[in-house]
């Protein structure tokens, strides 16, 4: 090999490398070109992957689109309540007949019907167990959703209706027509404690282990109580209008939503937004008609209020700003509301129309939505519906990236 001077060693990096490796200059140039091609290839693939994820996340039906009515699902009987499990994409409805229907959220195919259970429902997604409060039976039915069978019926306070579950502590809370809230251990299916309060509705904050008890007073002001899940101590209370009927919690946003069906005898309703940290009313806004139900999307932080006599659902931000009013059609009378935060869909139990209405973000898809397994938010969904245009575009971009990689 030729001797190399210091000046020669100071030349371009690729030539110095050639000399050190004792390779002809032409060979080194080819190596350099190959390395550049590899860099370009991997950079292209990385760009395609990022573009695919961004495209999927920003596709039609994103969380920023205005909520609209997408479709309806016909059900037998008059549904009074609805719950959705985003993990399994199954819907659960209870009816005036006290029956429970289990069916696929996408197709409406009924998978099972269980008779004479009740109407109030609470779902533990961790154990895949449904709890049904039986007003006429003074029981809480425990339904194993893996087998769609009733495991047991727990004796409860007389005429239970409101029920909530903490999936972290596996405790179930149910009210009665007496000033008592029964606490059930989900492991043993037994009542382990009684909390002395009247309750028209119940909600749980599993992150902070808080139980929210909504009192119902026909002639005086209703109150929202914050109760420690460990000690059952009342941590705070706040007045939330008259005849308050429903409560929902957004743990991430630190907000508790309460709907009151009467506003000073005017016949209109009120939505109270309570700051969970200071336990004061942060906002109070009117609803169009008497409201009986509320649910919150903990990812978009939008609250959905069922306006029974207006046949619509009002959608609010945590600030109290109304985002939209979704008309469900005459005679709908939404009585129950449930949110699928993974697929950004909202379901209402239309009591007088024998159907379930499905509310999505943005315009309704032109073609039926294929059922898919739920995926984490921000990956392949972006808050949009399964099977949306963003999914197809992302797939095409990924395919193009793989084709470039193969070149």
């Amino acid at each position: 090999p030729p001797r190399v001077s210091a000046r020669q060693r100071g030349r371009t990096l690729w030539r110095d490398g050639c000399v050190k490796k004792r390779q002809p200059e032409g060979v080194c140039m080819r190596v350099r070109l190959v390395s550049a091609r590899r860099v370009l290839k991997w950079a292209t693939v990385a760009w395609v992957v990022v573009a695919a994820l961004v495209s999927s996340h920003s596709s039609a039906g994103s969380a920023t689109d205005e909520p609209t009515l997408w479709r309806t699902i016909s059900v037998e009987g008059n549904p009074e309540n609805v719950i959705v499990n985003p993990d399994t994409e199954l819907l659960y409805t209870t009816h005036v007949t006290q029956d429970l229907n289990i069916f696929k959220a996408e197709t409406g195919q009924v998978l099972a019907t269980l008779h004479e259970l009740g109407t109030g429902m609470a779902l533990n997604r961790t154990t895949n167990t449904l709890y049904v409060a039986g007003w006429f039976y003074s029981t809480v039915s425990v339904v194993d959703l893996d087998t769609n069978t009733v495991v047991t019926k727990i004796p409860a306070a007389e005429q239970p209706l409101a029920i909530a579950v903490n999936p972290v502590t596996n405790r179930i809370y149910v009210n009665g027509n007496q000033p008592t809230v029964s606490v059930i251990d989900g492991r043993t299916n037994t009542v382990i404690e009684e909390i002395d309060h009247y309750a028209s509705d119940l909600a749980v904050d599993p992150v902070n282990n808080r139980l929210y008890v909504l009192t119902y007073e026909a002639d005086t002001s209703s109150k929202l109580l914050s109760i420690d899940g460990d000690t059952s101590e009342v941590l705070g209370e706040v007045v939330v209008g008259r005849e308050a009927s429903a409560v929902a919690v957004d743990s991430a946003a630190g907000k508790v939503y309460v709907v009151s069906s009467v506003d000073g005898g005017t016949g209109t309703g009120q939505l109270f937004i309570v700051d969970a940290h200071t336990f004061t009313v942060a906002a109070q806004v009117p609803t169009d008609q008497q409201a009986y139900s509320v649910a919150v999307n903990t990812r978009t932080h939008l609250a959905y209020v069922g306006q029974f006599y207006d046949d619509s659902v009002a959608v609010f931000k945590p600030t109290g700003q109304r985002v939209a009013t979704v008309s469900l059609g005459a005679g709908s009378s939404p009585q129950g509301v449930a949110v699928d935060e993974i697929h950004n869909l909202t379901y209402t139990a239309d009591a007088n129309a024998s159907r379930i209405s499905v509310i999505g973000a943005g315009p309704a898809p032109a073609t039926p939505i294929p059922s898919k397994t739920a995926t984490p938010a921000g990956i392949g969904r972006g808050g949009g519906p399964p099977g949306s245009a963003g999914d197809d575009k992302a797939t095409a971009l990924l395919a193009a990236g793989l084709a470039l990689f193969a070149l």
Side-chain angles (χ1 to χ4, degrees), residues 18-82:
C18 290
V19 175
K20 287 183 178 180
K21 294 179 181 178
R22 301 178 181 179
Q23 295 174 339
E25 184 172 314
V27 175
C28 186
M29 289 181 67
R30 285 194 295 273
V31 171
R32 184 186 179 213
L33 289 173
V34 171
S35 300
R37 187 174 297 147
R38 286 180 178 175
V39 171
L40 179 61
K41 180 194 297 183
W42 282 109
T44 303
V45 171
W47 176 86
V48 169
V49 171
V50 171
L53 292 176
V54 171
S55 173
S56 176
H57 185 72
S58 60
S59 61
S62 67
T64 57
D65 290 333
E66 182 175 310
T68 59
L69 177 63
W70 277 19
R71 58 191 174 89
T72 59
I73 304 171
S74 296
V75 296
E76 293 185 3
N78 303 96
E80 290 195 353
N81 203 356
V82 59

Side-chain angles (χ1 to χ4, degrees), residues 320-334:
Q321 176 187 351
R322 183 181 293 220
V323 175
T325 300
V326 182
S327 177
L328 306 180
S332 298
S333 306

Side-chain angles (χ1 to χ4, degrees), residues 134-179:
W135 170 275
F136 293 105
Y137 317 109
S138 297
T139 60
V140 173
S141 297
V142 182
V143 182
D144 183 344
L145 297 179
D146 291 326
T147 61
N148 292 336
T149 57
V150 177
V151 175
T152 187
K153 292 188 177 183
I154 306 169
E158 187 177 357
Q159 297 178 334
L161 181 61
I163 189 168
V165 61
N166 188 328
V168 176
T169 62
N170 201 12
R171 289 190 173 186
I172 301 93
Y173 303 88
V174 59
N175 75 339
N177 67 349
Q178 300 296 322

Side-chain angles (χ1 to χ4, degrees), residues 20 37 56 81 93 107 110-111 131 147 170 182 225 263 277 327 330 348 384 395 403:
K20 287 183 178 180
R37 187 174 297 147
S56 176
N81 203 356
T93 59
T107 64
V110 178
L111 302 178
Y131 299 90
T147 61
N170 201 12
S182 300
L225 308 180
D263 176 22
H277 304 295
S327 177
T348 65
T395 302

Side-chain angles (χ1 to χ4, degrees), residues 245-266:
S245 56
V247 57
V249 183
D250 185 348
S251 302
K255 294 291 188 294
V256 185
Y257 296 84
V258 175
V259 290
S260 175
S261 59
V262 176
D263 176 22
T266 63

